[in-house]
Amino acid sequence: MEEIRDRLKLVKEKINRAVESSRRSAGEIELVVVTKTVAVARIREAIEAGVRNIGENRVQEALAKHEELSSRPPGAGLPRWHMIGHLQRNKVERALSIFDLIHSVDSLSLAEEIDKRAEALGKRVDILVEVNVSGEESKFGLERSKVNEFLVTISKLKNLRIQGLMTMTPFTNDPEQSRPYFRKLRCLSEEIQSGRLNNIEMRYLSMGMSQDFEVAIEEGANMVRIGSAIFGSRS
Ligand SMILES: *Cc1c(COP(=O)(O)O)cnc(C)c1O
């Protein structure tokens, strides 16, 4: 029980230090706690320890957990659910039934499907555009050079609310390796913001994971996605 609470506290302290060294304020940073593969009992502990943002990467797994977690005793606040993994079009409808923010929009067909399903539900859906800033082949995400045109196109989809950018950097043990990619994404986000497109607000910059969230914050992240630093390594 103590373990999750303690690790969470440690992560928050590190966030605060990164925030101070980059002269920002702690309130700016949203911590998304990544619970993929983590058992519901441990997620519940995290929620009881104050976690307000949950990140999952598989729709099926998330639906099952969401169902279990919504049968909690009343009183504890409801967390927001973040879809951080690759989303298939045939899972969009189910995804929209639980997720509050989709971080991983990287194709027009996916954006159009979300728009269509959102319309049927009579709601607007908050999304981030996932960008592949490293150019690494195995990663999802839109190429940097395609982002501007993509945004212009999807900004016309009335049931989407474009709220920012997300990236995943290549795995490394040295967080400094990620710094140039984080910087690139921040610059891109600033460029887009200054373009003042309709229906596009660069409110969130979702970057940084357990390995490198401090560097991400130094480079402008205001949403970090952290799993193993809180729950231990995934088997
Ligand atoms: C798993 C995952 C994370 C969290 O990774 P950790 O290294 O456990 O912090 C963050 N973002 C995405 C997209 C993930 O799939």
Side-chain angles (χ1 to χ4, degrees):
M1 186 74 178
E2 281 307 311
E3 183 212 6
I4 289 173
R5 206 175 272 273
D6 292 347
R7 290 194 194 204
L8 192 59
K9 192 162 160 255
L10 198 65
V11 164
K12 285 184 180 166
E13 283 166 8
K14 286 183 176 171
I15 289 175
N16 286 341
R17 253 177 276 142
V19 154
E20 277 163 22
S21 71
S22 50
R23 279 181 264 140
R24 302 171 61 196
S25 67
E28 283 178 46
I29 315 291
E30 297 237 29
L31 167 59
V32 176
V33 171
V34 177
T35 54
K36 63 188 184 201
T37 77
V38 175
V40 167
R42 306 188 76 215
I43 302 175
R44 194 172 275 130
E45 278 180 40
I47 293 171
E48 280 162 9
V51 166
R52 289 295 164 262
N53 292 285
I54 301 270
E56 285 279 342
N57 68 338
R58 292 211 168 95
V59 174
Q60 208 63 39
E61 183 181 337
L63 283 168
K65 289 172 174 176
H66 185 273
E67 166 113 38
E68 271 195 71
L69 286 164
S70 59
S71 61
R72 272 167 317 118
L78 282 176
R80 274 166 61 82
W81 287 70
H82 298 249
M83 176 55 186
I84 61 172
H86 180 65
L87 180 57
Q88 290 169 312
R89 287 177 53 209
N90 63 0
K91 301 211 170 116
V92 165
E93 187 176 17
R94 275 171 296 161
L96 295 192
S97 70
I98 58 167
F99 288 110
D100 300 293
L101 178 64
I102 296 172
H103 290 227
S104 46
V105 176
D106 65 354
S107 73
L108 183 56
S109 60
L110 175 59
E112 285 173 340
E113 181 68 15
I114 297 172
D115 181 65
K116 186 177 114 189
R117 297 293 178 181
E119 171 139 51
L121 292 166
K123 68 177 185 184
R124 292 185 78 196
V125 174
D126 291 341
I127 64 143
L128 307 181
V129 170
E130 180 173 357
V131 185
N132 179 350
V133 271
S134 70
E136 192 187 41
E137 264 179 37
S138 62
K139 284 271 157 26
F140 293 110
L142 214 64
E143 260 173 62
R144 156 88 186 74
S145 62
K146 295 188 173 144
V147 173
N148 288 307
E149 196 187 335
F150 181 69
L151 283 170
V152 170
T153 308
I154 68 168
S155 69
K156 292 169 188 136
L157 301 173
K158 297 263 179 310
N159 307 293
L160 299 186
R161 231 174 359 213
I162 302 154
Q163 297 272 288
L165 305 178
M166 179 274 227
T167 198
M168 256 184 104
T169 49
F171 178 80
T172 166
N173 284 316
D174 174 14
E176 286 301 325
Q177 301 268 321
S178 305
R179 191 183 294 277
Y181 302 130
F182 292 148
R183 192 168 292 172
K184 268 192 197 170
L185 195 71
R186 193 232 313 156
C187 289
L188 178 59
S189 155
E190 286 170 357
E191 199 181 289
I192 294 163
Q193 187 66 40
S194 66
R196 296 178 177 280
L197 284 163
N198 260 340
N199 189 26
I200 294 182
E201 194 188 347
M202 288 291 114
R203 184 171 170 200
Y204 296 119
L205 201 49
S206 169
M207 56 186 196
M209 324 202 315
S210 293
Q211 290 292 336
D212 53 18
F213 67 90
E214 289 147 293
V215 172
I217 290 170
E218 286 165 14
E219 294 301 331
N222 62 5
M223 192 171 259
V224 291
R225 310 178 307 265
I226 301 180
S228 52
I230 293 164
F231 298 109
S233 59
R234 288 176 292 274
S235 45

